[in-house]
Amino acid sequence: MSAIALHRFQRPALAALCTAAVLGLTACGPFGGDATETGPFAGLSGAQIANKAVKATKSASSLTFDADLQMPEGRVKAFMAVDTKGQCAGTLSVGSTGTVELIRTGGDAYMRFDEALLREQSKGSSAEETSAVLKTLKGRWTKADATDPEAKEGMEMCDLDQVLGELRTGINTAKRGEVTTVGGRKALTLTEKDGAATYKIYVATEGEPYLLKVEQKGGKEPGTISFSAYNKPVPAKKPAAKDIVDLDKLAQQR
Protein backbone atom coordinates (compact mmCIF):
# COMPACT_ATOMS: atom_id res chain seq x y z
CA MET A 1 0.00 0.00 0.00
CA SER A 2 1.44 3.36 -0.96
CA ALA A 3 1.61 6.33 1.39
CA ILE A 4 -1.07 8.04 -0.66
CA ALA A 5 -3.38 5.02 -0.51
CA LEU A 6 -2.91 4.76 3.23
CA HIS A 7 -3.75 8.41 3.73
CA ARG A 8 -6.94 8.15 1.69
CA PHE A 9 -7.95 4.90 3.40
CA GLN A 10 -7.46 6.21 6.90
CA ARG A 11 -9.62 9.33 6.65
CA PRO A 12 -12.97 7.47 6.96
CA ALA A 13 -11.72 5.90 10.19
CA LEU A 14 -11.02 9.36 11.55
CA ALA A 15 -14.52 10.44 10.62
CA ALA A 16 -15.86 7.48 12.61
CA LEU A 17 -13.94 8.70 15.64
CA CYS A 18 -15.46 12.16 15.22
CA THR A 19 -18.90 10.57 15.13
CA ALA A 20 -18.13 8.66 18.31
CA ALA A 21 -17.24 11.82 20.16
CA VAL A 22 -20.37 13.58 18.99
CA LEU A 23 -22.50 10.63 20.12
CA GLY A 24 -20.86 10.77 23.51
CA LEU A 25 -21.51 14.48 23.82
CA THR A 26 -25.17 14.15 22.95
CA ALA A 27 -25.95 11.03 24.91
CA CYS A 28 -26.98 13.05 27.95
CA GLY A 29 -29.38 15.38 26.18
CA PRO A 30 -32.05 16.49 26.24
CA PHE A 31 -32.19 16.99 29.99
CA GLY A 32 -35.13 17.14 32.35
CA GLY A 33 -36.43 18.61 35.59
CA ASP A 34 -37.11 18.11 39.27
CA ALA A 35 -38.27 20.23 42.16
CA THR A 36 -36.22 23.35 42.88
CA GLU A 37 -33.76 23.20 45.79
CA THR A 38 -31.31 25.32 47.72
CA GLY A 39 -27.50 25.31 47.45
CA PRO A 40 -25.67 25.95 44.16
CA PHE A 41 -28.10 27.23 41.53
CA ALA A 42 -30.66 27.84 44.28
CA GLY A 43 -34.20 27.89 43.00
CA LEU A 44 -33.36 26.08 39.74
CA SER A 45 -34.43 22.58 38.82
CA GLY A 46 -32.13 19.97 37.33
CA ALA A 47 -33.58 20.70 33.90
CA GLN A 48 -32.94 24.43 34.19
CA ILE A 49 -29.37 23.88 35.39
CA ALA A 50 -28.65 21.46 32.56
CA ASN A 51 -30.06 23.90 30.02
CA LYS A 52 -27.84 26.67 31.39
CA ALA A 53 -24.82 24.36 31.18
CA VAL A 54 -25.52 23.47 27.54
CA LYS A 55 -25.92 27.13 26.58
CA ALA A 56 -22.76 28.17 28.42
CA THR A 57 -20.70 25.34 26.93
CA LYS A 58 -21.85 26.12 23.40
CA SER A 59 -20.90 29.77 23.88
CA ALA A 60 -17.25 28.98 24.67
CA SER A 61 -14.62 30.09 22.13
CA SER A 62 -12.45 27.04 22.86
CA LEU A 63 -12.19 24.03 25.12
CA THR A 64 -10.39 20.73 25.61
CA PHE A 65 -12.23 17.44 25.85
CA ASP A 66 -10.98 14.07 27.03
CA ALA A 67 -13.19 11.21 25.86
CA ASP A 68 -13.11 7.51 26.67
CA LEU A 69 -16.07 5.76 25.03
CA GLN A 70 -17.09 2.21 24.23
CA MET A 71 -18.45 2.27 20.69
CA PRO A 72 -19.39 -0.42 18.15
CA GLU A 73 -16.01 0.22 16.47
CA GLY A 74 -14.27 -0.53 19.77
CA ARG A 75 -12.95 1.60 22.57
CA VAL A 76 -12.58 5.17 21.36
CA LYS A 77 -10.25 7.60 23.11
CA ALA A 78 -9.77 11.22 22.16
CA PHE A 79 -7.96 14.15 23.72
CA MET A 80 -8.56 17.32 21.72
CA ALA A 81 -8.16 21.05 22.17
CA VAL A 82 -10.44 22.87 19.70
CA ASP A 83 -11.76 26.37 19.05
CA THR A 84 -14.38 28.14 16.98
CA LYS A 85 -11.72 29.25 14.46
CA GLY A 86 -11.14 25.67 13.38
CA GLN A 87 -7.80 25.22 15.11
CA CYS A 88 -7.18 21.96 16.93
CA ALA A 89 -4.50 19.75 18.42
CA GLY A 90 -4.86 16.32 19.94
CA THR A 91 -4.92 12.55 19.56
CA LEU A 92 -7.48 9.95 18.52
CA SER A 93 -7.47 6.17 18.81
CA VAL A 94 -9.96 3.38 18.33
CA GLY A 95 -9.66 -0.16 19.64
CA SER A 96 -6.18 -1.61 19.41
CA THR A 97 -5.47 -0.35 15.89
CA GLY A 98 -3.26 2.55 16.97
CA THR A 99 -3.28 6.31 17.43
CA VAL A 100 -3.26 9.33 15.16
CA GLU A 101 -2.22 12.84 16.17
CA LEU A 102 -4.07 15.77 14.61
CA ILE A 103 -3.22 19.44 14.14
CA ARG A 104 -5.10 22.01 12.14
CA THR A 105 -3.72 25.52 11.91
CA GLY A 106 -3.01 28.18 9.31
CA GLY A 107 -5.28 26.58 6.73
CA ASP A 108 -3.41 23.26 6.80
CA ALA A 109 -4.29 19.87 8.27
CA TYR A 110 -1.57 17.65 9.72
CA MET A 111 -1.79 13.99 10.77
CA ARG A 112 0.82 11.68 12.28
CA PHE A 113 0.11 7.94 12.59
CA ASP A 114 1.91 5.70 15.06
CA GLU A 115 3.57 2.52 13.82
CA ALA A 116 0.77 0.27 15.07
CA LEU A 117 -1.75 2.17 12.99
CA LEU A 118 0.49 2.22 9.93
CA ARG A 119 0.94 -1.54 10.14
CA GLU A 120 -2.77 -2.13 10.77
CA GLN A 121 -3.73 -0.17 7.67
CA SER A 122 -1.04 -1.95 5.65
CA LYS A 123 -2.49 -5.42 6.27
CA GLY A 124 -2.87 -7.24 3.00
CA SER A 125 -0.04 -5.32 1.39
CA SER A 126 3.30 -6.82 0.42
CA ALA A 127 6.28 -6.56 2.72
CA GLU A 128 7.84 -4.09 0.29
CA GLU A 129 4.76 -1.86 0.30
CA THR A 130 4.53 -1.94 4.09
CA SER A 131 8.22 -1.09 4.36
CA ALA A 132 7.74 1.84 1.98
CA VAL A 133 4.81 3.18 4.02
CA LEU A 134 6.79 2.98 7.25
CA LYS A 135 9.81 4.60 5.64
CA THR A 136 7.70 7.48 4.33
CA LEU A 137 5.35 8.10 7.26
CA LYS A 138 6.74 6.64 10.48
CA GLY A 139 7.38 9.50 12.88
CA ARG A 140 6.39 12.11 10.30
CA TRP A 141 3.38 14.33 9.74
CA THR A 142 1.25 14.28 6.61
CA LYS A 143 0.11 17.65 5.33
CA ALA A 144 -2.97 18.59 3.30
CA ASP A 145 -5.02 21.66 2.53
CA ALA A 146 -7.62 21.92 5.32
CA THR A 147 -10.27 22.84 2.73
CA ASP A 148 -9.77 19.58 0.83
CA PRO A 149 -13.03 17.57 1.19
CA GLU A 150 -11.27 14.46 2.48
CA ALA A 151 -9.13 16.47 4.90
CA LYS A 152 -12.25 18.23 6.17
CA GLU A 153 -13.88 14.84 6.76
CA GLY A 154 -10.90 13.64 8.75
CA MET A 155 -10.78 16.88 10.73
CA GLU A 156 -14.46 17.15 11.67
CA MET A 157 -13.56 17.03 15.33
CA CYS A 158 -11.57 20.23 14.86
CA ASP A 159 -14.74 22.28 14.34
CA LEU A 160 -15.97 23.22 17.81
CA ASP A 161 -19.34 24.47 16.57
CA GLN A 162 -19.90 21.14 14.85
CA VAL A 163 -18.70 19.05 17.79
CA LEU A 164 -21.04 20.87 20.17
CA GLY A 165 -23.80 21.35 17.63
CA GLU A 166 -25.78 18.32 18.80
CA LEU A 167 -25.88 19.43 22.43
CA ARG A 168 -29.43 20.48 23.04
CA THR A 169 -31.88 21.51 25.71
CA GLY A 170 -35.26 19.99 26.38
CA ILE A 171 -37.45 18.24 28.92
CA ASN A 172 -36.65 14.93 30.55
CA THR A 173 -35.82 13.66 34.05
CA ALA A 174 -32.47 15.07 35.21
CA LYS A 175 -32.24 15.31 39.01
CA ARG A 176 -30.06 17.46 41.21
CA GLY A 177 -27.41 15.58 43.17
CA GLU A 178 -24.44 16.24 45.40
CA VAL A 179 -21.76 18.89 45.09
CA THR A 180 -18.34 17.43 44.28
CA THR A 181 -15.05 18.39 42.63
CA VAL A 182 -14.07 17.75 39.00
CA GLY A 183 -10.60 18.71 37.80
CA GLY A 184 -10.13 20.97 40.79
CA ARG A 185 -13.43 22.80 40.21
CA LYS A 186 -16.58 22.58 42.30
CA ALA A 187 -19.42 20.95 40.43
CA LEU A 188 -23.04 20.05 40.95
CA THR A 189 -23.97 16.52 39.95
CA LEU A 190 -27.08 15.94 37.86
CA THR A 191 -28.33 12.41 37.32
CA GLU A 192 -30.62 10.93 34.70
CA LYS A 193 -31.71 7.46 33.66
CA ASP A 194 -32.72 6.50 30.13
CA GLY A 195 -33.54 2.83 29.69
CA ALA A 196 -30.48 0.76 30.59
CA ALA A 197 -28.24 3.85 30.62
CA THR A 198 -27.56 6.02 33.66
CA TYR A 199 -25.95 9.44 33.26
CA LYS A 200 -24.11 11.76 35.60
CA ILE A 201 -23.61 15.32 34.40
CA TYR A 202 -21.24 17.59 36.30
CA VAL A 203 -21.82 21.35 36.04
CA ALA A 204 -19.41 24.02 37.30
CA THR A 205 -20.90 25.92 40.25
CA GLU A 206 -18.45 28.84 40.13
CA GLY A 207 -18.07 31.20 37.19
CA GLU A 208 -19.83 30.13 34.01
CA PRO A 209 -21.94 26.96 34.46
CA TYR A 210 -19.87 24.93 32.01
CA LEU A 211 -20.17 21.19 31.58
CA LEU A 212 -17.16 19.62 33.30
CA LYS A 213 -17.87 15.94 32.80
CA VAL A 214 -20.50 13.55 31.47
CA GLU A 215 -20.51 9.88 32.51
CA GLN A 216 -22.64 7.11 31.05
CA LYS A 217 -22.92 3.71 32.67
CA GLY A 218 -24.84 0.90 31.03
CA GLY A 219 -26.56 1.15 27.69
CA LYS A 220 -24.95 0.57 24.31
CA GLU A 221 -22.25 3.26 24.40
CA PRO A 222 -20.95 3.80 27.95
CA GLY A 223 -18.06 6.12 28.65
CA THR A 224 -16.86 9.44 29.98
CA ILE A 225 -16.11 12.84 28.49
CA SER A 226 -14.42 15.56 30.53
CA PHE A 227 -14.22 19.24 29.53
CA SER A 228 -11.55 21.72 30.56
CA ALA A 229 -9.44 24.69 29.43
CA TYR A 230 -12.45 26.75 28.44
CA ASN A 231 -11.56 29.83 26.37
CA LYS A 232 -7.84 29.00 26.49
CA PRO A 233 -5.57 29.26 23.41
CA VAL A 234 -5.36 26.01 21.45
CA PRO A 235 -1.74 24.72 21.29
CA ALA A 236 -1.88 24.11 17.53
CA LYS A 237 1.61 24.66 16.14
CA LYS A 238 2.86 23.76 12.69
CA PRO A 239 5.28 20.78 12.83
CA ALA A 240 8.90 21.31 11.83
CA ALA A 241 9.37 21.27 8.04
CA LYS A 242 11.75 18.29 8.23
CA ASP A 243 9.00 16.22 9.87
CA ILE A 244 6.31 16.91 7.24
CA VAL A 245 5.33 14.82 4.23
CA ASP A 246 3.33 16.95 1.80
CA LEU A 247 0.94 14.40 0.31
CA ASP A 248 -0.35 16.77 -2.33
CA LYS A 249 3.17 17.27 -3.69
CA LEU A 250 3.93 13.57 -3.35
CA ALA A 251 0.82 12.73 -5.38
CA GLN A 252 1.91 15.11 -8.16
CA GLN A 253 5.27 13.36 -8.37
CA ARG A 254 3.67 9.96 -8.97
Side-chain angles (χ1 to χ4, degrees), residues 8 13-14 20-21 26 49 56 110 118-119 137 141 173 184 188 195 198 212 219 233-234 242:
R8 301 302 188 216
L14 296 177
T26 62
I49 297 167
Y110 303 92
L118 291 173
R119 289 188 178 279
L137 295 181
W141 294 86
T173 58
L188 177 67
T198 300
L212 299 181
V234 171
K242 65 181 180 62

Side-chain angles (χ1 to χ4, degrees), residues 4 8 143-145 148 245-253:
I4 296 297
R8 301 302 188 216
K143 175 185 176 182
D145 187 330
D148 177 85
V245 177
D246 192 322
L247 292 180
D248 294 330
K249 290 184 178 179
L250 189 60
Q252 293 173 3
Q253 296 171 3

Side-chain angles (χ1 to χ4, degrees), residues 122-135:
S122 294
K123 284 184 177 180
S125 301
S126 67
E128 291 77 13
E129 289 176 319
T130 299
S131 178
V133 166
L134 292 173
K135 182 177 180 181

Side-chain angles (χ1 to χ4, degrees), residues 60-199:
S61 61
S62 65
L63 57 79
T64 295
F65 64 86
D66 188 351
D68 189 347
L69 310 168
Q70 188 61 47
M71 304 297 295
E73 297 85 359
R75 185 180 183 185
V76 173
K77 301 185 72 174
F79 184 82
M80 297 291 299
V82 296
D83 66 20
T84 54
K85 297 179 181 179
Q87 294 195 117
C88 74
T91 61
L92 300 169
S93 63
V94 58
S96 59
T97 58
T99 300
V100 58
E101 298 172 72
L102 302 178
I103 296 175
R104 189 167 79 178
T105 187
D108 293 314
Y110 303 92
M111 302 181 188
R112 182 164 66 179
F113 313 96
D114 68 4
E115 183 174 348
L117 187 52
L118 291 173
R119 289 188 178 279
E120 175 68 23
Q121 300 302 336
S122 294
K123 284 184 177 180
S125 301
S126 67
E128 291 77 13
E129 289 176 319
T130 299
S131 178
V133 166
L134 292 173
K135 182 177 180 181
T136 302
L137 295 181
K138 183 179 177 180
R140 304 183 71 190
W141 294 86
T142 66
K143 175 185 176 182
D145 187 330
T147 62
D148 177 85
E150 290 184 335
K152 288 177 68 175
E153 182 181 9
M155 290 282 178
E156 286 178 351
M157 199 176 288
C158 292
D159 186 332
L160 181 58
D161 289 335
Q162 183 167 331
V163 169
L164 298 181
E166 295 299 323
L167 280 175
R168 56 197 183 276
T169 58
I171 299 175
N172 208 306
T173 58
K175 302 290 185 181
R176 294 174 59 117
E178 63 181 3
V179 175
T180 185
T181 301
V182 176
R185 300 184 64 177
K186 290 184 179 180
L188 177 67
T189 306
L190 303 176
T191 61
E192 182 174 358
K193 187 172 178 61
D194 182 12
T198 300
Y199 303 102

